[in-house]
Amino acid sequence: MTRTLWDSTVGKKTIMAVTGLVMLGYLVAHMVGNLKIFFGPGEFDGYAHWLRTMGAPVLHHEWALWIVRVGLVAAVVLHGVSAYQLSRRDIRARPAKYVHKKPRASYATRTMRWGGVILALFIVWHILDLTTGTVHTGFEAGHPYQNVIDTFSTWYGNVIYIVAVLAMGLHVQHGFWSAAQTLGVGNATRDRILKTLANLLAAVLTLGFISVPVAVMTGVVS
């Protein structure tokens, strides 16, 4: 049953839809957590500390955080592999390029694949920058507020982050809509509401994430 689901086009689209919604839920929670930086280092560092102790005393230190991390990695891998395999099937089914592109295809639709690649590369950079500190000069473990300030005090840190967030916004806009259609939520009466919700989610997430580097660049957060 599982093998049949994985091998079928419908199954892969369903996996993409479900894992996409899981990642969307994480993005909303992550954005809310990021906005705590506007309340100062005590609030932000306290939130980062809580992430490592959540679930205590039932769970050991960082166990809950690692459960979330493993779940997210699984979602990202399943989402990416499904997207790649569906793309290969699409290419094999239509080896010749369209003479005329679909006039109604949105910019988000046409750039979903490249957007996914950009986001995958950004996730690696983001982890190496603010989690492990591998590419972060002057990284201080246990001082997330200062590490964020340092990252967004560099031009390249801002460029990488903002480009990735814009790609994420387009991905969410189209991805949420596609997930709804795949899971059978959409219909003639709900389509307008779903499209509005997709646009709203994309806009809120984009503005929420970008507000942090902008605040550091303008001195609102320092």
Side-chain angles (χ1 to χ4, degrees):
M1 177 67 179
T2 304
R3 183 69 185 180
T4 303
L5 177 69
W6 175 251
D7 288 339
S8 70
T9 297
V10 173
K12 290 184 188 300
K13 288 184 177 180
T14 301
I15 290 170
M16 282 193 69
V18 173
T19 54
L21 291 175
V22 168
M23 290 186 285
L24 178 60
Y26 168 77
L27 284 173
V28 172
H30 189 41
M31 181 199 69
V32 172
N34 281 4
L35 294 178
K36 286 183 176 289
I37 201 166
F38 289 98
F39 297 95
E43 184 84 12
F44 191 75
D45 289 352
Y47 165 69
H49 175 71
W50 172 80
L51 288 176
R52 285 158 175 75
T53 58
M54 62 180 175
V58 177
L59 297 178
H60 192 59
H61 184 70
E62 290 195 357
W63 277 17
L65 181 59
W66 275 105
I67 290 171
V68 172
R69 285 171 172 169
V70 171
L72 280 171
V73 169
V76 170
V77 170
L78 286 171
H79 194 82
V81 171
S82 296
Y84 174 77
Q85 291 181 348
L86 285 171
S87 176
R88 298 304 301 171
R89 286 185 181 183
D90 186 51
I91 291 172
R92 285 196 299 268
R94 294 193 304 262
K97 293 184 178 180
Y98 288 118
V99 176
H100 300 289
K101 291 183 179 179
K102 295 179 181 179
R104 292 187 179 181
S106 68
Y107 183 76
T109 303
R110 296 194 302 270
T111 56
M112 278 293 284
R113 290 168 187 169
W114 281 111
V117 172
I118 291 172
L119 290 174
L121 292 174
F122 172 72
I123 289 171
V124 175
W125 166 266
H126 199 49
I127 291 171
L128 294 176
D129 181 30
L130 291 175
T131 300
T132 66
T134 307
V135 298
H136 187 132
T137 304
F139 179 83
E140 295 182 58
H143 295 85
Y145 181 92
Q146 190 57 50
N147 291 331
V148 170
I149 299 298
D150 290 345
T151 286
F152 296 134
S153 295
T154 62
W155 68 267
Y156 57 86
N158 288 311
V159 170
I160 292 172
Y161 190 86
I162 291 173
V163 168
V165 168
L166 292 174
M168 177 272 299
L170 290 171
H171 213 76
V172 167
Q173 181 190 41
H174 180 69
F176 180 82
W177 167 253
S178 295
Q181 303 308 305
T182 298
L183 297 175
V185 178
N187 59 34
T189 30
R190 296 197 198 108
D191 279 357
R192 181 174 295 180
I193 295 173
L194 288 169
K195 285 181 179 179
T196 301
L197 186 56
N199 292 334
L200 183 62
L201 276 169
V204 169
L205 285 169
T206 300
L207 292 174
F209 279 114
I210 285 182
S211 67
V212 177
V214 170
V216 175
M217 283 189 287
T218 57
V220 173
V221 172
S222 61

